[in-house]
Amino acid sequence: MYKTKIIEIGPIVEDFAEEFLLVLFGPQAMAELRDICVIHESSEEPKDVIQKNGRLTIGEQEYRILDVGEEANPNFESLGHISIYFRDGENNEILPGAILVEPKVFPVLTVGDEISFE
C-alpha cells in the first residue's frame, strides 16, 4: 500500500468536479498548474503503485481502478502527477498519464486527507 497526504487544494479544483476529473501533482508542481491541482506529499517512494483492479482511497471515498494509462506510474513516480477520471464502468479511452476509476463520485477534498493506492 502507498499513502500520500493532501497538502494543498487549488482554487479551481472544484470546477473540475462537474467533469469528474481530478488532477494530482507532487509538491514540485509549477505555479501555473497549482490552481487546478491537488498537491500531495509522501515520505514513501511510489513504485508501480497504480494497478488495474486495484483500490484508490481519497479521504473516506474508495474507488476501483478500471484502467491505467501507460505513463501513469512513471509520471506519478517522477512528478506525483496523474489525472483521475471518475466513471461508472464506461469503457472510455484514457490519456497515457491518466487512470479511470469507479464509482462516478467526485471526492470530498480536505487538506490533510490521505490518498492511498492498494
Side-chain angles (χ1 to χ4, degrees):
M1 178 191 300
Y2 172 82
K3 296 179 182 179
T4 186
K5 192 164 288 218
I6 296 173
I7 61 170
E8 183 182 328
I9 302 168
I12 303 176
V13 168
E14 288 297 323
D15 293 349
F16 288 91
E18 63 189 39
E19 301 295 324
F20 293 95
L21 169 63
L22 181 64
V23 179
L24 299 183
F25 231 108
Q28 73 277 26
M30 297 177 291
E32 56 269 17
L33 294 175
R34 294 181 96 84
D35 284 353
I36 65 164
C37 295
V38 168
I39 308 298
H40 65 96
E41 187 171 46
S42 177
S43 59
E44 300 176 50
E45 291 293 322
K47 184 67 178 161
D48 288 326
V49 297
I50 308 167
Q51 300 296 320
K52 187 173 182 176
N53 295 317
R55 184 172 49 189
L56 164 65
T57 305
I58 303 173
E60 300 295 319
Q61 182 66 50
E62 287 189 9
Y63 302 92
R64 186 169 72 91
I65 300 171
L66 301 174
D67 204 358
V68 179
E70 61 194 35
E71 294 299 318
N73 274 300
N75 286 349
F76 195 69
E77 290 165 17
S78 64
L79 302 169
H81 170 60
I82 54 170
S83 297
I84 304 169
Y85 291 88
F86 302 90
R87 301 288 186 255
D88 279 331
E90 301 165 14
N91 190 9
N92 294 323
E93 191 172 314
I94 61 169
L95 296 171
I99 67 172
L100 184 65
V101 302
E102 69 176 358
K104 189 176 183 175
V105 175
F106 195 82
V108 174
L109 301 165
T110 305
V111 170
D113 277 355
E114 190 174 88
I115 298 171
S116 66
F117 292 94
E118 291 184 64

